[in-house]
């Protein structure tokens, strides 16, 4: 079964930066799209950033200009660089991979931003 293993998120002050990674147990070329979702406590999970196999990137308006999704195919790893963090970025961040009808999820990692 496909596994997605996320690194620890951590703590940051407003205006700071955090990077998280998602390592897949198979080649990320196996997937049509990889993405980062986030879920604020008590809120619905939302798509923050995505990247297709062709390299097209998409960002939610709330993170555009501050977050960057990237990948390292040799390491089967997708990254999310979060800069100029805001308290409202506090959430559990989930790595996601899609291939056709198949959908895989990382375990989630906590990112906390203090004011």
């Amino acid at each position: 079964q496909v596994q997605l293993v996320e690194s620890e998120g951590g703590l940051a002050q407003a205006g700071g930066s955090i990077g998280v990674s998602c390592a897949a147990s198979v080649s990320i070329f196996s997937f049509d799209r990889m993405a980062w979702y986030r879920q604020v406590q008590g809120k619905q999970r939302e798509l923050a950033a995505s990247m297709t196999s062709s390299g097209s990137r998409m960002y939610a308006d709330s993170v555009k200009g501050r977050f960057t999704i990237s990948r390292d195919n040799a390491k089967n790893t997708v990254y999310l660089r979060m800069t100029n963090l805001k308290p409202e970025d506090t959430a559990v961040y989930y790595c996601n991979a899609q291939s056709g009808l198949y959908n895989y999820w990382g375990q989630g990692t906590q990112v906390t931003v203090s004011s």
Side-chain angles (χ1 to χ4, degrees):
Q1 188 176 12
V2 173
Q3 296 183 58
L4 303 176
V5 180
E6 300 176 32
S7 63
E8 286 194 17
L11 300 171
Q13 295 182 350
S17 299
I18 290 177
V20 293
S21 64
C22 172
S25 62
V26 299
S27 172
I28 58 176
F29 281 124
S30 301
F31 306 110
D32 300 316
R33 190 196 77 159
M34 299 201 71
W36 289 94
Y37 286 75
R38 66 183 185 179
Q39 187 166 24
V40 176
Q41 189 79 43
K43 302 293 184 180
Q44 200 165 16
R45 188 175 301 179
E46 65 177 1
L47 179 63
S50 67
M51 188 175 190
T52 68
S53 58
S54 64
S56 297
R57 294 176 174 89
M58 188 284 301
Y59 299 97
D61 288 341
S62 57
V63 309
K64 193 172 298 182
R66 301 186 299 115
F67 288 15
T68 303
I69 186 170
S70 62
R71 67 190 182 203
D72 185 333
N73 294 330
K75 296 181 178 179
N76 296 329
T77 299
V78 173
Y79 303 90
L80 185 68
R81 171 61 60 180
M82 299 173 280
T83 63
N84 193 23
L85 285 163
K86 303 176 180 180
E88 50 263 43
D89 295 321
T90 295
V92 176
Y93 285 74
Y94 295 91
C95 181
N96 168 260
Q98 296 178 11
S99 180
L101 297 177
Y102 296 94
N103 203 13
Y104 307 95
W105 294 93
Q107 79 276 16
T109 187
Q110 178 71 45
V111 170
T112 302
V113 183
S114 62
S115 60

Short mmCIF file of all heavy atoms in Angstrom, two decimals, residues 1 19 23-25 27 30 45 73 78 85-86 97 99:
data_model
loop_
_atom_site.label_atom_id
_atom_site.label_comp_id
_atom_site.label_asym_id
_atom_site.label_seq_id
_atom_site.Cartn_x
_atom_site.Cartn_y
_atom_site.Cartn_z
N GLN A 1 0.84 -1.18 0.00
CA GLN A 1 0.00 0.00 0.00
C GLN A 1 0.89 1.24 0.00
O GLN A 1 1.95 1.25 0.62
CB GLN A 1 -0.92 0.00 1.22
CG GLN A 1 -1.96 1.10 1.20
CD GLN A 1 -2.92 1.01 2.38
OE1 GLN A 1 -2.68 0.26 3.33
NE2 GLN A 1 -3.99 1.77 2.31
N GLY A 19 9.01 24.81 6.97
CA GLY A 19 8.96 23.92 5.84
C GLY A 19 8.59 22.52 6.29
O GLY A 19 9.08 22.04 7.31
N ALA A 23 7.21 12.33 2.20
CA ALA A 23 7.97 11.31 1.49
C ALA A 23 7.05 10.15 1.13
O ALA A 23 6.42 9.55 2.00
CB ALA A 23 9.13 10.82 2.35
N ALA A 24 7.00 9.82 -0.15
CA ALA A 24 6.16 8.74 -0.64
C ALA A 24 6.95 7.44 -0.74
O ALA A 24 8.16 7.45 -1.00
CB ALA A 24 5.56 9.09 -2.00
N SER A 25 6.26 6.32 -0.55
CA SER A 25 6.89 5.02 -0.63
C SER A 25 7.03 4.52 -2.06
O SER A 25 7.65 3.47 -2.29
CB SER A 25 6.11 4.00 0.20
OG SER A 25 4.79 3.85 -0.30
N SER A 27 7.32 6.03 -6.43
CA SER A 27 7.66 7.18 -7.25
C SER A 27 6.49 8.15 -7.31
O SER A 27 5.35 7.75 -7.53
CB SER A 27 8.04 6.74 -8.66
OG SER A 27 8.20 7.86 -9.51
N SER A 30 3.95 8.27 -10.07
CA SER A 30 2.76 7.43 -10.05
C SER A 30 1.48 8.24 -9.90
O SER A 30 0.39 7.70 -10.12
CB SER A 30 2.85 6.42 -8.91
OG SER A 30 3.99 5.60 -9.04
N ARG A 45 -11.68 20.53 6.28
CA ARG A 45 -10.40 20.46 5.61
C ARG A 45 -10.45 21.22 4.29
O ARG A 45 -11.44 21.14 3.55
CB ARG A 45 -10.03 18.99 5.36
CG ARG A 45 -8.62 18.77 4.85
CD ARG A 45 -8.31 17.28 4.74
NE ARG A 45 -8.44 16.61 6.02
CZ ARG A 45 -8.24 15.31 6.21
NH1 ARG A 45 -7.91 14.53 5.19
NH2 ARG A 45 -8.39 14.78 7.42
N ASN A 73 11.83 14.65 -7.35
CA ASN A 73 11.45 13.34 -7.88
C ASN A 73 12.42 12.24 -7.46
O ASN A 73 12.00 11.10 -7.21
CB ASN A 73 11.36 13.41 -9.41
CG ASN A 73 10.24 14.30 -9.90
OD1 ASN A 73 9.22 14.45 -9.24
ND2 ASN A 73 10.44 14.89 -11.07
N VAL A 78 7.61 15.56 -1.69
CA VAL A 78 6.97 16.83 -1.97
C VAL A 78 7.14 17.73 -0.76
O VAL A 78 7.07 17.26 0.38
CB VAL A 78 5.48 16.64 -2.31
CG1 VAL A 78 4.77 17.98 -2.43
CG2 VAL A 78 5.33 15.85 -3.60
N LEU A 85 4.24 33.63 7.93
CA LEU A 85 3.14 32.90 8.57
C LEU A 85 2.25 33.82 9.38
O LEU A 85 2.70 34.80 9.98
CB LEU A 85 3.69 31.79 9.45
CG LEU A 85 4.20 30.57 8.69
CD1 LEU A 85 5.08 29.71 9.58
CD2 LEU A 85 3.02 29.74 8.15
N LYS A 86 0.98 33.47 9.40
CA LYS A 86 -0.04 34.18 10.16
C LYS A 86 -0.68 33.24 11.16
O LYS A 86 -0.70 32.03 10.94
CB LYS A 86 -1.12 34.73 9.22
CG LYS A 86 -0.59 35.64 8.12
CD LYS A 86 -1.71 36.04 7.17
CE LYS A 86 -1.20 36.95 6.08
NZ LYS A 86 -2.29 37.35 5.15
N ALA A 97 -2.03 12.54 -2.21
CA ALA A 97 -1.62 12.11 -3.55
C ALA A 97 -2.79 11.45 -4.24
O ALA A 97 -3.50 10.66 -3.64
CB ALA A 97 -0.44 11.15 -3.46
N SER A 99 -4.19 9.52 -7.94
CA SER A 99 -3.92 8.86 -9.20
C SER A 99 -5.21 8.22 -9.67
O SER A 99 -5.66 7.22 -9.11
CB SER A 99 -2.82 7.80 -9.05
OG SER A 99 -2.57 7.17 -10.30
#
